[in-house]
Amino acid sequence: MRTRLTQIAALLLLSSGPVLATSDAYVQPRLNTNIADALNTLGQSCQNFTLDTESDHAFEISDHHQSMTLSHRFSNGSALAFVSHSETGNGDYGQIMAFRVSASQFTNGSDLIGKDQTLPMTEKLFITEQHPSGIAWLPAPQQSGRDRGYLIIASENENKVRIRQFSQEGDEGEIATLANHPLGQITDVWLAQEGGNNWLILHNMNAGTGAAYKANTADLFQYGTSAEGELDINAFTLVNQYQSPANTGCGKSVGQNAQLVKDSTNNWYVVHTYTGENICGANSGNNIVKAYRAYFNADGTFSLATSTTPYAQTTVGSSSLPDGRGADGAAGFRVSEDGRLVAYYGGQYAYMSWFDWKTAVKECRSAAR
């Protein structure tokens, strides 16, 4: 009898409060055009801005900024920009930095950063991973998880994925890790929504291999339970491993500033960028962008095209200095609210400006439609 009462109490607890439909979940925007047109117009609209970094982000030969991404806009109109930063000296800790983009720093009510803005640092988080690399942002549901989201971090040396929760007020701590995976190393984390599922793709650009995880959106955000709106990392299950092109530039395979995007034809691509063709890793040379087909297959698996020839390719300006605006520093991709492909090109290191250390970045966007 006591067991039956316990079961009834548990059911009442799970059903208490409003139950939201999965339509409450954030919808990942797709491109407003096909991938070739998006790449061809990517360099036609770029705005420079700066990150208000600090003296320990200045030139050190083995330490540098890794990747950059932007959160969705919160209800107050602001957003957070994130940068992963390596510190590989003995006893050093890697860093995850967050910078505030206020509503007034966006252009005309959009989610595109305005010209010559300086973004103040709001978080400087030290983690035991000395080489955090690729990062991605997953917004929480719009009602039950309002003004909250999750930064997914590839921990390259510790070979695991960290998940950190942020609200519009700032960091709320590391909430989960994913360490039991089949890869020898993780350099990239990519996110996608397809077929009612959220996909988390782990990639190793040094070996051209990856592992695909997926979770039903309702399970991932625990719809219909007392924890509705909160992320359950255990909802992700390993679907398959895959191969990628062995060398998409600089001897690596679709590197840590890559991301998955869906274009207007409903096809998926991994968009990847790097700087230089003969000298790699120094943030010096042309900023090359390549797109490779990605597939969510009928049998429920994920795969990439394995040819080294990209589906589309372009060049977005160039960089000539380690602290210049290139793909080897604070760099990454996202899709804007109005469907533009957005690329970030940033410095590997901070530079001195009026006795203040700053990092140069530019945001380039494909054409509006």
Side-chain angles (χ1 to χ4, degrees), residues 29-52:
R30 71 173 188 173
L31 297 178
N32 59 21
T33 188
N34 64 74
I35 190 68
D37 286 348
L39 261 61
N40 286 338
T41 61
L42 184 58
Q44 296 178 9
S45 174
C46 299
Q47 296 287 6
N48 293 335
F49 64 96
T50 57
L51 305 173
D52 195 7

Side-chain angles (χ1 to χ4, degrees), residues 25-26 71-72 137-142 145 148-150 191 193 198 221:
Y26 178 84
S71 77
H72 68 293
W137 176 256
L138 176 63
Q142 299 172 56
R148 192 172 70 234
Y150 306 94
L191 296 172
Q193 293 174 327
N198 279 69
F221 292 111

Side-chain angles (χ1 to χ4, degrees), residues 36-97:
D37 286 348
L39 261 61
N40 286 338
T41 61
L42 184 58
Q44 296 178 9
S45 174
C46 299
Q47 296 287 6
N48 293 335
F49 64 96
T50 57
L51 305 173
D52 195 7
T53 44
E54 298 180 341
S55 59
D56 58 336
H57 305 128
F59 178 77
E60 293 178 81
I61 189 64
S62 61
D63 303 331
H64 58 277
H65 299 330
Q66 297 283 336
S67 294
M68 179 172 174
T69 194
L70 194 74
S71 77
H72 68 293
R73 286 194 294 169
F74 302 116
S75 62
N76 64 5
S78 73
L80 292 173
F82 298 98
V83 172
S84 59
H85 177 81
S86 72
E87 288 285 340
T88 56
N90 186 34
D92 283 350
Y93 286 76
Q95 297 177 25
I96 299 297
M97 293 177 282

Side-chain angles (χ1 to χ4, degrees), residues 93-356:
Y93 286 76
Q95 297 177 25
I96 299 297
M97 293 177 282
F99 302 85
R100 175 71 62 189
V101 191
S102 66
S104 63
Q105 291 180 305
F106 288 116
T107 302
N108 299 326
S110 71
D111 63 336
L112 303 173
I113 298 173
K115 181 179 180 180
D116 296 333
Q117 299 294 322
T118 297
L119 309 185
M121 184 190 297
T122 60
E123 306 281 356
K124 184 178 178 180
L125 307 169
F126 295 89
I127 59 175
T128 54
E129 170 59 54
Q130 290 191 319
H131 201 271
S133 49
I135 55 178
W137 176 256
L138 176 63
Q142 299 172 56
Q143 297 180 51
S144 53
R146 186 173 177 83
D147 291 331
R148 192 172 70 234
Y150 306 94
L151 188 68
I152 318 296
I153 305 161
S155 297
E156 189 168 334
N157 294 336
E158 294 180 339
N159 199 24
K160 64 182 180 181
V161 175
R162 298 170 182 268
I163 300 179
R164 253 195 128 83
Q165 181 171 294
F166 288 83
S167 69
Q168 67 177 8
E169 283 78 31
D171 177 54
E172 296 186 345
E174 186 174 296
I175 64 163
T177 60
L178 193 163
N180 186 21
H181 60 82
L183 300 184
Q185 190 179 56
I186 302 172
T187 61
D188 298 81
V189 283
W190 307 329
L191 296 172
Q193 293 174 327
E194 183 72 6
N197 295 306
N198 279 69
W199 290 77
L200 171 61
I201 312 298
L202 314 183
H203 187 73
N204 181 2
M205 71 177 187
N206 296 315
T209 59
Y213 289 75
K214 72 177 176 180
N216 179 273
T217 300
D219 294 335
L220 183 62
F221 292 111
Q222 305 183 76
Y223 281 93
T225 77
S226 59
E228 188 166 292
E230 297 179 12
L231 185 73
D232 179 12
I233 186 64
N234 295 314
F236 279 117
T237 58
L238 176 63
V239 177
N240 68 287
Q241 295 178 249
Y242 64 88
Q243 297 291 317
S244 66
N247 181 4
T248 59
C250 288
K252 306 291 184 181
S253 173
V254 286
Q256 65 194 18
N257 43 32
Q259 198 50 256
L260 276 165
V261 300
K262 188 177 189 178
D263 77 353
S264 61
T265 67
N266 291 322
N267 289 318
W268 284 94
Y269 302 86
V270 172
V271 184
H272 159 59
T273 186
Y274 61 95
T275 296
E277 295 166 296
N278 299 315
I279 301 175
C280 296
N283 222 29
S284 180
N286 289 331
N287 297 322
I288 300 165
V289 183
K290 296 180 179 181
Y292 294 86
R293 281 295 307 271
Y295 303 93
F296 294 95
N297 302 303
D299 64 358
T301 61
F302 172 83
S303 61
L304 290 181
T306 55
S307 171
T308 57
T309 302
Y311 185 91
Q313 178 175 339
T314 193
T315 299
V316 183
S318 63
S319 177
S320 59
L321 296 169
D323 59 5
R325 297 174 175 93
D328 293 330
F333 287 99
R334 68 181 179 94
V335 178
S336 67
E337 294 170 359
D338 64 351
R340 303 190 199 196
L341 181 62
V342 177
Y344 293 106
Y345 291 98
Q348 291 182 303
Y349 311 103
Y351 66 93
M352 178 66 81
S353 174
W354 294 97
F355 306 102
D356 187 13

